[in-house]
Amino acid sequence: MAEIIDITTDRQRAIDAGCGVLREGLPIALPTETVYGLAADATNPAAVARIYETKGRPQFNPLICHMADLAMAEDYATFDPVSRALAEAFWPGPLTIVVPLKPESGIHALATAGLDTVGIRVPLGFAGQLIRAYGHPLAAPSANTSGKISATSAAHVDADLGDKIRLILDAGASDVGVESTIIKVENGKLRLLRPGGLPAAEIERVAGTRLVRPKTASATIEAPGMMASHYAPGAAVRLEATDVADGEALIAFGPATIAGANTARIVLNLSETGDLAEAAANLFDYMKRADASGAATIAFTAIPDEGLGEAINDRLRRAAAPRE
Ligand code: TXA
Ligand code: MG
């Protein structure tokens, strides 16, 4: 049974307890502005190994290393001018930048899957404060069983991993609701490795160049964690639905009424007004609720592929991908 500490009422106790568990080499569930992370000391191999064990990850994927600020990040990795400009513009925030590791950086190879690069992000709010107090970078994938829907509340984490971890720090529902955007500067090109909580257009505006996107979602060799089937609910997922069959769950977007909605098992709307930020924040929670309704299929209506819609559609395509 995990202890759950509310960071809004008990901030200092949350930091002290979090640092204590991390020092023992154990992971904690840590709220970030994107999703809840399962965080452990990135410099401690046993601690990082426990992340994989707790999530039941089948293979070692490179994990994002979370830092308190850019100065801390520069102790571990080398920043080219474009990466530094993006870090200065968007950190703290939902952007992960893949940069070359410094030799003898201290970040363990288990956290980077042996790559000579590291994905770094500076989370906004409480998580950054906890990392500063702890003093070491934290490797943190989303706090959910491997392949399943990411957690955007302490209750999600508790239901999935509560009997496997010691401590859940509770900051309420995650503000952004989808994972960070991942980019990498390579051979003078700025590459989008994963769409996420920071819209691509904002990155392009600051960088002054277009992002190079992978040809297909499954071709992201540089992002080995980006397996096609991911974020999978128990139910099948049907995308771009224009109607809903008897007994299906419906997750709609925008004000339009959908034929068959009156006989759906459950009807949820990511954002009645068509606000993509609201939709991203609701996405994983609504997927879990639709799944819990017992429907065999969840039908989603179309979501525009602009702004945060790019990340939402990426997650939905993975949720709908054939399972192994
Ligand atoms: O919002 C987020 O990014 C959340 C919260 C907890 O911060 N974290 C997260 O971490 O989504 P994770 O471990 O699930 O994402 C790791 C992904 C890998 O699957 C891979 O795609 C990419 O980040 N990645 C990490 N290090 C990389 C590297 N050196 N080169 C390329 N891709 C890397
Ligand atoms: Mg994940």
Side-chain angles (χ1 to χ4, degrees):
M1 277 293 289
E3 182 187 3
I4 302 178
I5 302 180
D6 183 340
I7 70 123
T8 53
T9 55
D10 260 339
R11 204 172 180 94
Q12 193 55 49
R13 193 165 76 83
I15 290 174
D16 294 344
C19 290
V21 176
L22 290 169
R23 268 193 296 273
E24 283 185 59
L26 297 173
I28 61 169
L30 178 67
T32 84
E33 78 280 36
T34 57
V35 299
Y36 276 67
L38 186 65
D41 187 332
T43 66
N44 177 340
V48 179
R50 284 196 191 274
I51 293 177
Y52 291 104
E53 181 187 58
T54 306
K55 284 183 66 89
R57 269 208 181 181
Q59 78 239 53
F60 294 148
N61 301 320
L63 303 177
I64 293 170
C65 291
H66 298 68
M67 308 275 180
D69 49 35
L70 176 58
M72 181 176 179
E74 290 195 294
D75 290 341
Y76 296 90
T78 311
F79 285 73
D80 62 275
V82 173
S83 295
R84 181 174 294 106
L86 292 171
E88 283 169 350
F90 296 115
W91 282 355
L95 175 68
T96 294
I97 306 177
V98 176
V99 279
L101 260 181
K102 285 189 170 163
E104 314 292 321
S105 71
I107 290 180
H108 195 268
L110 209 44
T112 57
L115 299 174
D116 53 12
T117 54
V118 57
I120 299 182
R121 114 173 170 86
V122 174
L124 186 62
F126 175 80
Q129 196 186 344
L130 182 126
I131 296 164
R132 186 165 287 111
Y134 184 62
H136 296 283
L138 297 182
S142 51
N144 54 276
T145 301
S146 182
K148 299 297 180 198
I149 301 167
S150 304
T152 53
S153 72
H156 290 165
V157 180
D158 194 30
D160 186 359
L161 301 175
D163 56 355
K164 297 190 179 134
I165 59 179
R166 182 89 67 79
L167 181 64
I168 299 172
L169 301 181
D170 181 359
S174 309
D175 287 337
V176 177
V178 292
E179 296 83 350
S180 60
T181 303
I182 307 179
I183 56 118
K184 180 184 185 185
V185 174
E186 197 171 40
N187 302 326
K189 290 205 170 93
L190 183 57
R191 303 185 50 211
L192 179 66
L193 301 187
R194 176 177 78 182
L198 181 65
E202 292 193 35
I203 298 170
E204 292 177 334
R205 184 173 46 76
V206 168
T209 65
R210 295 300 303 270
L211 279 159
V212 180
R213 289 169 165 77
K215 283 185 208 76
T216 67
S218 59
T220 49
I221 294 136
E222 280 76 15
M226 298 296 287
M227 294 166 283
S229 173
H230 212 89
Y231 308 97
V237 171
R238 188 162 72 83
L239 301 181
E240 308 205 7
T242 50
D243 56 13
V244 53
D246 220 1
E248 281 185 339
L250 172 67
I251 301 185
F253 174 80
T257 46
I258 306 300
N262 52 327
T263 56
R265 192 176 278 251
I266 183 173
V267 178
L268 298 165
N269 197 316
L270 291 170
S271 171
E272 304 240 352
T273 60
D275 176 349
L276 288 165
E278 184 185 12
N282 285 330
L283 179 66
F284 292 140
D285 184 52
Y286 285 12
M287 282 170 74
K288 283 172 190 274
R289 282 164 61 177
D291 210 16
S293 77
T297 302
I298 306 171
F300 283 85
T301 64
I303 292 169
D305 210 30
E306 68 211 26
L308 285 171
E310 185 175 6
I312 296 171
N313 284 321
D314 171 81
R315 306 304 187 266
L316 290 183
R317 276 193 298 274
R318 291 174 201 285
R323 320 267 164 88
E324 260 141 50

